[in-house]
Amino acid sequence: MPTPSMEDYLERIYKLIDEKGYARVSDIAEGLEVHPSSVTKMIQKLDKDDYLIYEKYRGLVLTSKGKKVGKRLVDRHELLEEFLEMIGVQQENIYRDVEGIEHHLSWDSITRIETLVEFLRQDKQRIQQLHALHGEVISDS
C-alpha cells in the first residue's frame, strides 16, 4: 500500500493525466506545492514500486496498478468532498478538511461513507432534515 505522501502524488498525477493527457514534473510540483526535485525523487520511488513508468526527460506513464490506485484516490477525495458538503461543512473548509482526513480513514470507513452519501442522495428531504438540525435552510437546487 502506498504511503500518504505517495497517495498525494498518485492522486495528483492521475488527475493531471485525466485533465491534460500528461503530467509534467513542474505541474505536479505546482499542484502539490513542493520543489521539482522532490517530485523527481517521488516519481523514481513510484516507478520502483510499479505505479508508473518514468523515463528521464521523456515523461511518465501510469501503470495499470497506478491507474487503479490513482482513480481510487481521486474517487475517495471527491466522495469526502461531497459528504462534507452534504452535511453542511462550510465550502471554504472542505478542501482542507478532506486533505486532513483522507489518509486517516480506513477503506471500510470510506465504503460506509459512500453508502451514507448514496442514502442521502436518494431523497433530498434527508439532506434538508439534516441541515434543519443545524437551523440551516437549503434550496431545492
Side-chain angles (χ1 to χ4, degrees), residues 24-120:
R24 295 184 317 213
V25 168
S26 59
D27 295 328
I28 299 165
E30 182 182 322
L32 294 175
E33 298 178 352
V34 297
H35 292 288
S37 60
S38 299
V39 174
T40 301
K41 286 177 189 170
M42 180 57 80
I43 285 174
Q44 291 167 342
K45 173 138 182 56
L46 292 169
D47 184 3
K48 183 176 152 284
D49 290 350
D50 298 319
Y51 290 105
L52 55 82
I53 299 167
Y54 174 65
E55 293 182 31
K56 197 171 185 178
Y57 307 117
R58 289 177 125 321
L60 59 92
V61 178
L62 288 171
T63 62
S64 58
K65 175 182 173 181
K67 286 178 190 173
K68 181 180 175 185
V69 172
K71 179 171 181 4
R72 190 174 188 199
L73 297 170
V74 168
D75 290 348
R76 175 183 70 185
H77 188 101
E78 290 172 355
L79 170 71
L80 292 172
E81 281 187 352
E82 182 179 4
F83 174 65
L84 294 180
E85 187 175 310
M86 277 183 167
I87 63 172
V89 173
Q90 293 178 4
Q91 197 65 42
E92 62 267 17
N93 296 329
I94 290 177
Y95 181 81
R96 186 185 69 244
D97 287 353
V98 169
E99 286 298 313
I101 65 173
E102 67 184 340
H103 302 296
H104 301 286
L105 293 172
S106 68
W107 287 104
D108 180 45
S109 294
I110 296 297
T111 300
R112 302 300 174 133
I113 290 170
E114 187 174 34
T115 302
L116 177 58
V117 165
E118 189 54 43
F119 174 77
L120 293 171

